[in-house]
Amino acid sequence: MARYLHIVAILFFSLSLTAQNKGGLKLHFVHPTGDGKMLQLDSGFVFNQKDSMVIHSLRYYISDIKLFQNNLEVYSENGYHLIDLSDASSLNIALELIKGIQFDEISFNLGIDSATNTAGALGGALDPSKGMYWSWQSGYINLKLEGKCNVCPQFGHQFQYHLGGYLYPNLAIQNIRLKVNRKLGSELNIAFDLEQWLLQLPFSVQQHIMSPSKNAVQISNAAAKAFKVWDANKN
Amino acid sequence: MGRQQKLSFAMLFCILISVLAFIKTDEFTVPKNWPAPAYNFKNNPLNAAGIALGRQLFYDPLLSKDNSISCASCHLQYTAFTHVDHALSHGINDSIGTRNAPALMNLAWQSHFMWDGAINHLDVQALAPISHPSEMGETLNNVLEKLRTKQKYRTLFFKAYHDSSITGEQTLKAISQFMLTLVSANAKYDSVQRQQSHFTAQEKRGYQLFKTFCNTCHTEPIFSTYEFANIGLPVSKTLNDSGRLRITQKANDAFKFKIPSLRNVEFSYPYMHDGRFKKLSDVLNHYTTGVQHTETLAPQLEKPIILSSNEKVDLIAFLMTLTDKHYLFNPQFGYPK
């Protein structure tokens, strides 16, 4: 009997938690392509000053979001979020914080950790029907970019980069930690700077990456470096 | 005890009962003296409705693009769920060519699937054939759309999950539920272990030979460690299948394949990852005279295994005692009525 009493206790505890004062923080992801423009799927833009580019699909996982103040963790969430440029609502992640909490750094993962990669069929954002799971070799695709670029030689100038891999040495998950210099507000914009990242992609030499590899890790690393806190007024 | 207290105790009791009903996994029994399963049943507790749903899905060609192929097309019960008489079932992945469908049994004890271990969990196994162009050529998302249009499935999903939204997770876990019930632990060998019958003199000699030469890899009682080993098969030039190396990209995994269980081996021919051998005697001839010495060869096979022709016959007689008729002909595993 005693065993079940603690279930009841947990229930009460979580009820009392929700009664506490909550503040919210909305993370909003933006995807600048240069010249103050934001990515529009399926519509062309110029990149690298001269090349034409169309992106049909950009999707990636953000997980394990944490906030720090003076290097001390003040908040963590163990959720998995699929950012999908074809679904505007997915660009926002709402965090429930205790009111008045201060933080000066945010950290999150780009991709899915190894343990989750070996946990079988999962639901929600992790459901394999989301198209972010490899079929013939188990594992999540952390980041998917598909489109066309005039420098791609083959297959109607198409490219497909499916980046993932949860086994060493081809471990593709990236941790991103950013300084946040802000007065307390309820929204934080985070940019995945495509103008910067696209320059690192091997469009003319390798148009398809569809499995874990050294290159996939390298490109994932370059993607992580392209994440920054975004000040809509300044940038 | 006040009336209200009684009432709240009664309510608590009801909650407890329903919680218990939910976590019971009576549907799965670990055979006596077997190791603990690798599958985590807590995340997918077996129940009759889930198993029934999984069985329907396993036998339903709706899972393929043109509604022509089901899992059972390649995994037939009477041949221990392998592909009869097809050395090479259509391969799972273009880049690795073609492979022989392994027998499906005792999957709860495995943590890697496929000959090279490309699949890391039973739940996600079904994704490979569903989405492979030369197999079922379908996407999981489309399969879900098709399932949602069928009243039969909306009912079956509701029975299993109290929810008829039909998600990928639910579908995959149901297929796992059915596959987890495919336990083979009732061969003559098992009844001898339970002291309910006896080996013949020949089987006994075969058993001794088995323990000497084979048991380190095909380890009792499951008849596999499910590790990966290179047994020195000559590498086929056309398939050039490097096995486990493709997954781990470690040089010392070259030409290693998952050790298959030898239960029901009488029926799971043709043998090996590429189905190169038709008969058990071919397999034994490989172990005695065919082993190629390469860098990753299993240490157990460095020294030649020497078996006289009589000993080979004895060893095969023992392997026949691993045939489990209860499993091969269990009506609960067959085409759902």
Side-chain angles (χ1 to χ4, degrees), chain A residues 46-85:
Chain A
V46 174
F47 115 97
N48 199 14
Q49 279 149 24
K50 56 186 191 315
D51 298 321
S52 68
M53 166 79 69
V54 182
I55 290 176
H56 299 311
S57 168
L58 173 61
R59 317 172 88 205
Y60 54 91
Y61 279 112
I62 294 293
S63 62
D64 201 21
I65 301 172
K66 292 186 169 123
L67 299 175
F68 296 88
Q69 170 78 347
N70 299 329
N71 268 327
L72 281 178
E73 187 181 306
V74 292
Y75 170 85
S76 76
E77 183 231 25
N78 40 28
Y80 297 86
H81 307 273
L82 178 57
I83 308 281
D84 179 352
L85 273 279

Side-chain angles (χ1 to χ4, degrees), chain B residues 13-291:
Chain B
F13 189 71
C14 287
I15 293 172
L16 285 186
I17 293 289
S18 47
V19 166
L20 286 177
F22 204 70
I23 53 181
K24 88 169 182 160
T25 54
D26 299 6
E27 307 289 341
F28 193 83
T29 335
V30 177
K32 206 166 160 245
N33 297 328
W34 279 39
Y39 192 86
N40 186 349
F41 286 93
K42 277 204 205 92
N43 294 339
N44 188 17
L46 298 197
N47 61 72
I51 296 166
L53 170 59
R55 182 175 169 195
Q56 285 289 337
L57 291 165
F58 190 89
Y59 281 95
D60 198 334
L62 181 145
L63 266 60
S64 65
K65 184 142 208 135
D66 57 1
N67 301 318
S68 64
I69 299 180
S70 73
C71 308
S73 310
C74 296
H75 299 288
L76 274 108
Q77 177 182 13
Y78 302 134
T79 57
F81 292 96
T82 81
H83 209 169
V84 237
D85 265 352
H86 282 244
L88 301 169
S89 311
H90 308 272
I92 291 293
N93 170 20
D94 293 324
S95 65
I96 56 165
T98 45
R99 295 225 183 111
N100 179 19
L104 302 187
M105 60 191 164
N106 304 334
L107 293 161
W109 283 269
Q110 293 193 48
S111 46
H112 293 91
F113 303 85
M114 304 302 208
W115 286 102
D116 55 11
I119 304 293
N120 67 24
H121 196 289
L122 185 60
D123 293 353
V124 291
Q125 164 70 43
L127 290 169
I130 286 174
S131 45
H132 190 266
S134 77
E135 297 200 334
M136 303 169 95
E138 189 52 291
T139 69
L140 178 59
N141 221 353
N142 271 339
V143 168
L144 300 183
E145 293 293 324
K146 286 197 265 182
L147 292 172
R148 286 179 191 130
T149 64
K150 298 265 187 295
Q151 183 58 49
K152 176 177 102 178
Y153 278 110
R154 287 199 299 270
T155 310
L156 286 169
F157 273 82
F158 190 81
K159 278 192 189 151
Y161 298 108
H162 305 291
D163 163 28
S164 46
S165 56
I166 308 193
T167 67
E169 180 187 16
Q170 292 168 345
T171 305
L172 294 173
K173 282 187 167 166
I175 298 175
S176 284
Q177 292 225 352
F178 171 65
M179 291 199 289
L180 286 162
T181 65
L182 304 175
V183 173
S184 174
N186 212 353
K188 177 172 183 188
Y189 163 84
D190 301 292
S191 65
V192 172
Q193 301 305 310
R194 292 193 300 261
Q195 304 186 334
Q196 289 163 343
S197 62
H198 297 279
F199 282 142
T200 64
Q202 186 183 40
E203 290 163 353
K204 220 180 246 166
R205 290 195 301 272
Y207 186 30
Q208 283 313 317
L209 291 166
F210 183 85
K211 287 205 274 199
T212 311
F213 295 114
C214 321
N215 201 35
T216 53
C217 295
H218 300 285
T219 309
E220 300 167 83
I222 292 181
F223 289 90
S224 177
T225 57
Y226 293 129
E227 276 160 20
F228 299 85
N230 173 2
I231 58 166
L233 292 168
V235 178
S236 150
K237 289 247 161 36
T238 44
L239 298 174
N240 198 18
D241 193 337
S242 59
R244 185 70 179 149
L245 167 90
R246 193 178 68 85
I247 305 304
T248 62
Q249 318 208 350
K250 288 187 190 139
N252 68 351
D253 281 336
F255 309 117
K256 291 187 181 173
F257 291 88
K258 197 176 67 197
I259 300 167
S261 167
L262 298 185
R263 286 182 171 271
N264 300 299
V265 72
E266 179 181 2
F267 287 96
S268 60
Y269 60 89
Y271 301 112
M272 305 302 174
H273 66 273
D274 53 5
R276 68 177 68 194
F277 298 134
K278 286 214 168 54
K279 295 191 302 242
L280 284 171
S281 54
D282 300 336
V283 172
L284 293 187
N285 290 339
H286 164 73
Y287 281 113
T288 52
T289 53
V291 173

Side-chain angles (χ1 to χ4, degrees), chain A residues 33-190:
Chain A
T33 55
D35 296 332
K37 295 210 178 68
M38 295 295 161
L39 177 66
Q40 300 279 319
L41 290 186
D42 301 320
S43 72
F45 61 94
V46 174
F47 115 97
N48 199 14
Q49 279 149 24
K50 56 186 191 315
D51 298 321
S52 68
M53 166 79 69
V54 182
I55 290 176
H56 299 311
S57 168
L58 173 61
R59 317 172 88 205
Y60 54 91
Y61 279 112
I62 294 293
S63 62
D64 201 21
I65 301 172
K66 292 186 169 123
L67 299 175
F68 296 88
Q69 170 78 347
N70 299 329
N71 268 327
L72 281 178
E73 187 181 306
V74 292
Y75 170 85
S76 76
E77 183 231 25
N78 40 28
Y80 297 86
H81 307 273
L82 178 57
I83 308 281
D84 179 352
L85 273 279
S86 69
D87 170 10
S89 69
S90 76
L91 306 182
N92 298 316
I93 300 175
L95 305 179
E96 294 218 333
L97 307 182
I98 294 177
K99 215 170 185 171
I101 202 168
Q102 299 278 336
F103 62 95
D104 55 18
E105 269 182 296
I106 182 167
S107 128
F108 51 86
N109 288 338
L110 172 61
I112 303 295
D113 55 279
S114 299
T116 305
N117 266 287
T118 53
L122 299 167
L126 296 172
D127 194 301
S129 65
K130 301 278 179 203
M132 294 292 280
Y133 199 91
W134 271 307
S135 52
W136 49 270
Q137 175 177 351
S138 302
Y140 281 96
I141 299 169
N142 293 335
L143 197 176
K144 207 179 213 185
L145 178 80
E146 296 179 349
K148 272 190 214 169
C149 175
N150 68 325
V151 288
C152 294
Q154 294 160 331
F155 308 114
H157 304 302
Q158 292 182 20
F159 60 82
Q160 282 174 303
Y161 298 116
H162 295 186
L163 308 176
Y166 67 93
L167 286 173
Y168 184 82
N170 296 323
L171 190 64
I173 188 174
Q174 303 289 322
N175 180 255
I176 295 167
R177 193 159 165 160
L178 304 170
K179 290 246 181 297
V180 181
N181 200 349
R182 73 187 245 287
K183 297 277 163 279
L184 215 72
S186 61
E187 197 167 316
L188 180 62
N189 288 318
I190 293 177

